[in-house]
Amino acid sequence: MASKQMLAVAAAAVALAVLLPARGAAATEHMVGDGNGWILGFDYVAWAATKQFRVGDTLVFRYKGTNHTVVEVGGEDFKACNKTASANEWSSGEDRVALDKEGRRWFFCGVGDHCAKNMKLKITVLAAGAPAPGAPAAPPPPSSPAGKARARVAHAAAAAAVTAAAAAMLAL
């Protein structure tokens, strides 16, 4: 009896997974430098290359408050390590930067020659629902022959899951 109940629960779970629309990905909190934090001597270019930044995500810069700062500037000022009067600057030791729009963002440490020593981060923020660069192409439109075939397969799978769940429930 217990195995029939387990089968019914499993079939119902499969049916729900097939029938419910996929939810959008939750926003991500990116700890800059992961466990290392915001420090000198870390390769932020390599770190950023392993991440995908999207609108709605947050960057967290963690460091000892008196040792570093976080300065956000434009691309040319980033290259030159130039902290302009209009630059955003944080110095709390745990600075949270909301990624609220698409595009490039440039950050560096404004203390001494830290920027010149490559304590800097450049990222590209993607739209919230944008596919990742290099992601597989979107499925064919529903009106195309391939799209219609895909829809029929998905519908058949959903119907089979619902039928299995119903049969399992009736067997209880």
Side-chain angles (χ1 to χ4, degrees):
M1 172 99 162
S3 64
K4 287 182 180 181
Q5 287 175 331
M6 294 293 285
L7 177 63
V9 169
V14 169
L16 286 174
V18 171
L19 295 174
L20 290 177
R23 300 265 181 206
T28 300
E29 188 171 277
H30 301 278
M31 184 66 61
V32 176
D34 294 326
N36 296 296
W38 186 234
I39 60 169
L40 277 169
F42 186 82
D43 187 349
Y44 293 103
V45 173
W47 177 83
T50 66
K51 310 291 183 214
Q52 291 181 359
F53 306 97
R54 298 190 181 283
V55 171
D57 289 355
T58 302
L59 291 179
V60 179
F61 293 85
R62 188 172 285 158
Y63 54 93
K64 291 185 179 170
T66 58
N67 295 345
H68 304 295
T69 64
V70 177
V71 179
E72 182 175 12
V73 296
E76 292 302 314
D77 291 318
F78 176 82
K79 289 178 191 172
C81 291
N82 182 32
K83 181 169 67 171
T84 63
S86 63
N88 291 321
E89 185 169 12
W90 297 270
S91 58
S92 73
E94 185 158 332
D95 307 321
R96 304 175 82 72
V97 179
L99 303 179
D100 55 358
K101 62 185 178 221
E102 296 175 56
R104 294 273 174 122
R105 305 278 297 262
W106 298 270
F107 305 90
F108 64 78
C109 179
V111 172
D113 64 351
H114 293 188
C115 180
K117 291 181 176 177
N118 287 322
M119 191 172 172
K120 52 201 304 188
L121 171 66
K122 173 176 64 173
I123 65 169
T124 300
V125 182
L126 304 172
S143 59
S144 74
K148 288 178 182 175
R150 183 183 194 140
R152 281 193 298 273
V153 168
H155 181 73
V162 169
T163 301
M169 292 292 197
L170 290 174
L172 296 177

